[in-house]
Amino acid sequence: MTTQPSAPSGAVPSPELATLDRLVELGALSLFDRELALSLGEIAKESSAAVLLAAAFASAGVQAGHTCVDIARLAERSFADPETPEVVELRLPPGEAWLAELRASKLVCTAESAEDARPLVLDARGRLYLFRYFDYESRLAAALRAREAPVAEPLEPIALAKSLERLFPRADTRGALQRVAALVFLRRRLTVISGGPGTGKTYTVAKALVLLQEQAIAQGRAPYRILLTAPTGKAAQRLGDAIRDNLARLDVDPAKLAIPTQASTLHRALGYRVSQPTRFRHDARHPLPADVVVVDEASMVDLALMTKLATAVHPDARLLLLGDKDQLASVEAGAILSDIYTGAGQGVSQSLARELADFAGMRLPEALHRRQPGLHDGMVHLTESHRFDDDGGIAALARAVNAGDAAAALDVLARRGSVSLVPVADRRALEEKLGPLVTDRLGDLREGSVEERLARLDRFRVLAAHRRGPFGVAGLNAFVAAELGRCERLEPRGAFYEGRPVIVVANDYDTGLYNGDVGLIASRSSDTPRRAWFRGDAAGTLRDLSPARLPQHDTAFALSVHKSQGSEFAEIVFVLPERPSPILTRELVYTAITRARERVTILGSEAMLRHAVNTRVERASGLSDRLWNAP
């Protein structure tokens, strides 16, 4: 790379011209992004440096979870040198000139002319997409908007009133919003039920399914065919277990009402094919054989998979998305649940407001600008948490973090009740604070029954923002194993040592183990071989297999916050990184602390916590616009 001449003494140096090579050097682009842009340019005989830069940034955006890149905002971006804390002045094309070059390029088509498929798509708002992601976003928006009309089936009011009073007694004021959610589900072809941990989302769904099936029986119709799904094997198992347990609490026979108590992964439900892993058996031409499709942990579903699901659900079927809109979005591109929910605004249509007043005894505010029935009628956010007993601890911290109020979050932590912030400045300080915690909470993982040892692991977990680095998952797992070994609580030798916790990181249909499943390497007794043990169901039934048959897996003393989604522990220790990073956000902190029921310890600096709470996930996307602002 050529060196720029030095500026005269006292003069302000001119911004450096942005090039693909320089941006790769600064880490703003990857080698893959660079090569993709150059390859596209070569194929289309495109020589414009501005167009190739935009193509590379569109690729980089997808890797970072965006579905597109906003050219006007990108033109104002600054870049930092990873070797120094200094900001590097790079000259990117001015926004309007950049957009003009893109419109004139053979590589680019407009959103209105996307049938003339080209590698890049530029929409009217200046968002640039790789064609595949524009296609996904457009098809998902169309599939969801096709569900705007309410269901055509009439209600049987006398039976409905009886079912509602039994399932959602009006005397239980804490369950008022759950009653609303169940009624909305009855009337809508798309329902989104959002809520934080402990707000009773799956309990509400169990009751809503009972309500629906009792309506079918009251009207002499066949029961609805119900499909329960989730993005991971672990989440699917938890959903099935939760539905089964909640139906038992309601004293309902699931077989009699044809309500399933087993859930499947989205991939399995859609018909995953090894030979064509990106294409499923079920699609718009071959829809899922279900009248109701429930998707738990919907915030974890990426754009591509949600598009394939939404197009595979029959147009007349009910689609219910369940999750926490404030939680971390999917690892892949998109922030689907947030985009769907937050663009809806406040209030419902006049007709739904009247129905809810009649049957739920609760008058919801009417939408000022959306008085006719539409997608906004299907958005419900549950707010009453039943998980946290101490409102001054985890719940208060979660609210402060979610509100972006760093001062309030630090005030809650300063009370040192069930939540605390322990300052650590470097790796040595981290190990000094973490060591006693893990040895006390985990004990000797070679002792006790397999069930007892798994229960100990279920109660306590270390969470981290990053996978790598001194404060990342890999380093923390190595430290915990070494620390337990030093204290003679473990002998971490070899790949499958006694007491090693493992997490599966890839779905394996042959073994029935799925991404996110956590198990333990252990022997039943001193004279039996070690096996890999996993929980089979909510009742605690264990299943085992030879460690040699384990699918791809990692050690699981510590987990990334992303991997912990859908899990619940009595206590967590959350390790903040040493310095800011793109993934250290409010949503990450919120997700981490709400994995705990009883206690949260944050190890890190006050400055890093402030930075995280003040930083929101901003994923560039046009989905919300296409759903809520399209003509």
Side-chain angles (χ1 to χ4, degrees):
M1 188 185 73
T2 57
T3 304
Q4 298 291 330
S6 300
S9 178
V12 177
S14 298
E16 181 184 342
L17 180 65
T19 65
L20 290 173
D21 287 339
R22 183 65 170 125
L23 288 164
V24 169
E25 182 182 317
L26 292 175
L29 298 174
S30 68
L31 285 171
F32 174 83
D33 303 325
R34 174 186 178 277
E35 292 306 312
L36 176 65
L38 292 175
S39 297
L40 290 176
E42 186 175 342
I43 292 169
K45 302 295 187 280
E46 175 59 75
S47 59
S48 166
V51 171
L52 298 185
L53 276 175
F57 274 113
S59 170
V62 169
Q63 312 311 315
H66 307 286
T67 62
C68 57
V69 60
D70 185 321
I71 294 297
R73 292 187 65 179
L74 177 59
E76 300 171 354
R77 184 173 163 185
S78 60
F79 300 89
D81 190 326
E83 301 300 323
T84 72
E86 297 175 0
V87 172
V88 178
E89 290 293 329
L90 291 183
R91 188 170 73 251
L92 290 169
E96 284 303 320
W98 206 349
L99 288 168
E101 287 208 49
L102 286 167
R103 292 186 188 104
S105 173
K106 297 177 182 177
L107 277 174
V108 182
C109 60
T110 64
E112 294 73 26
S113 64
E115 292 80 7
D116 176 25
R118 298 187 187 183
L120 301 174
V121 182
L122 184 67
D123 75 7
R125 295 178 180 265
R127 292 179 292 232
L128 185 71
Y129 295 78
L130 297 178
F131 181 85
R132 174 181 294 181
Y133 290 89
F134 175 80
D135 183 56
Y136 283 145
E137 191 175 277
S138 299
R139 289 197 291 129
L140 177 57
L144 295 179
R145 292 188 69 190
R147 316 187 78 79
E148 286 185 322
V151 296
E153 301 151 4
L155 295 173
E156 206 301 309
I158 297 176
L160 179 59
K162 290 180 179 178
S163 295
L164 277 172
E165 187 56 31
R166 189 180 86 257
L167 297 167
F168 303 96
R170 294 201 186 200
D172 179 14
T173 56
R174 294 185 71 188
L177 267 178
Q178 294 180 351
R179 185 162 61 248
V180 166
L183 277 167
V184 166
F185 167 69
L186 250 62
R187 307 308 295 145
R188 304 300 308 169
R189 289 187 293 159
L190 173 67
T191 305
V192 177
I193 300 179
S194 172
T199 51
K201 296 187 293 294
T202 50
Y203 193 35
T204 301
V205 170
K207 290 182 176 183
L209 294 176
V210 172
L211 198 65
L212 182 70
Q213 298 294 52
E214 288 183 348
Q215 274 289 290
I217 292 170
Q219 297 181 45
R221 290 188 280 107
Y224 293 89
R225 298 168 299 168
I226 298 169
L227 176 63
L228 304 178
T229 70
T232 68
K234 182 177 182 180
Q237 181 179 316
R238 285 173 61 89
L239 173 61
D241 292 345
I243 295 293
R244 183 187 309 109
D245 292 348
N246 288 325
L247 292 177
R249 288 168 62 187
L250 296 170
D251 195 23
V252 168
D253 181 356
K256 184 177 179 181
L257 289 181
I259 298 176
T261 56
Q262 286 190 328
S264 68
T265 64
L266 285 170
H267 283 81
R268 174 166 280 186
L270 288 169
Y272 176 82
R273 294 185 287 193
V274 176
S275 59
Q276 293 180 297
T278 61
R279 295 178 181 271
F280 297 105
R281 284 198 305 274
H282 294 291
D283 54 22
R285 290 184 298 173
H286 309 93
L288 288 161
D291 306 305
V292 177
V293 178
V294 178
V295 185
D296 197 14
E297 297 291 351
S299 65
M300 298 170 65
V301 184
D302 62 82
L303 174 64
L305 187 55
M306 188 65 83
T307 302
K308 292 167 185 176
L309 168 71
T311 53
V313 177
H314 193 280
D316 294 330
R318 288 174 172 84
L319 173 59
L320 171 56
L321 303 180
L322 200 61
D324 186 346
K325 66 181 177 62
D326 299 313
Q327 197 169 280
L328 278 172
S330 63
V331 176
E332 306 296 334
I336 308 305
L337 193 65
S338 177
D339 280 346
I340 294 173
Y341 187 94
T342 56
Q346 299 296 317
V348 298
S349 66
Q350 290 179 333
S351 58
L352 183 61
R354 286 195 296 269
E355 275 193 308
L356 293 175
D358 291 341
F359 289 108
M362 187 176 184
R363 184 86 187 188
L364 291 188
E366 294 180 19
L368 296 178
H369 305 296
R370 295 190 176 107
R371 294 186 175 277
Q372 297 304 311
L375 290 181
H376 60 292
D377 282 339
M379 309 293 126
V380 183
H381 185 59
L382 303 179
T383 55
E384 190 79 39
S385 178
H386 306 275
R387 176 185 293 183
F388 309 118
D389 295 330
D390 60 326
D391 198 48
I394 299 173
L397 180 60
R399 283 196 300 271
V401 169
N402 209 14
D405 191 338
L410 289 166
D411 181 61
V412 174
L413 289 162
R415 299 174 201 162
R416 297 188 66 81
S418 60
V419 294
S420 59
L421 173 64
V422 179
V424 295
D426 52 32
R427 175 73 185 202
R428 177 178 294 181
L430 172 66
E431 293 178 354
E432 287 176 355
K433 301 297 184 182
L434 183 59
L437 277 169
V438 296
T439 53
D440 178 67
R441 304 304 196 267
L442 295 177
D444 193 328
L445 286 172
R446 301 166 300 180
E447 295 182 352
S449 67
V450 174
E451 292 87 347
E452 290 168 345
R453 287 182 275 175
L454 280 169
R456 242 179 291 160
L457 287 168
D458 286 345
R459 285 193 57 80
F460 176 82
R461 200 57 53 96
V462 179
L463 304 182
H466 298 138
R467 286 193 50 77
R468 311 208 179 279
F471 285 32
V473 171
L476 291 171
N477 271 317
F479 166 72
V480 173
E483 183 69 7
L484 292 174
R486 187 182 68 80
C487 297
E488 299 183 350
R489 306 286 180 90
L490 209 64
E491 292 182 48
R493 298 175 186 170
F496 302 118
Y497 55 83
E498 185 78 19
R500 180 194 174 199
V502 293
I503 180 169
V504 175
V505 297
N507 293 336
D508 188 296
Y509 294 99
D510 289 336
T511 61
L513 293 174
Y514 304 101
N515 188 6
D517 287 348
V518 174
L520 180 74
I521 305 298
S523 52
R524 280 289 195 186
S525 62
S526 58
D527 57 353
T528 58
R530 290 173 193 157
R531 307 281 287 174
W533 298 87
F534 292 85
R535 295 195 185 282
D537 54 37
T541 305
L542 296 183
R543 51 175 303 218
D544 64 298
L545 72 161
S546 165
R549 291 190 62 212
L550 275 174
Q552 188 178 349
H553 61 279
D554 290 327
T555 302
F557 294 112
L559 302 176
S560 69
V561 177
H562 272 98
K563 281 291 184 187
S564 75
Q565 284 181 270
S567 297
E568 179 182 312
F569 309 98
E571 178 179 0
I572 65 103
V573 173
F574 177 39
V575 179
L576 291 169
E578 292 178 285
R579 57 181 64 88
S581 76
I583 67 170
L584 185 59
T585 62
R586 179 185 311 172
E587 290 82 359
L588 185 96
V589 177
Y590 171 81
T591 303
I593 62 181
T594 53
R595 297 311 91 207
R597 296 188 306 272
E598 299 171 12
R599 182 166 187 82
V600 172
T601 302
I602 301 176
L603 300 182
S605 71
E606 181 179 309
M608 282 302 96
L609 185 62
R610 281 186 180 277
H611 166 82
V613 174
N614 290 328
T615 305
R616 292 216 67 166
V617 168
E618 291 188 11
R619 288 195 166 180
S621 163
L623 179 61
S624 187
D625 266 348
R626 297 185 204 289
L627 283 176
W628 303 110
N629 301 322

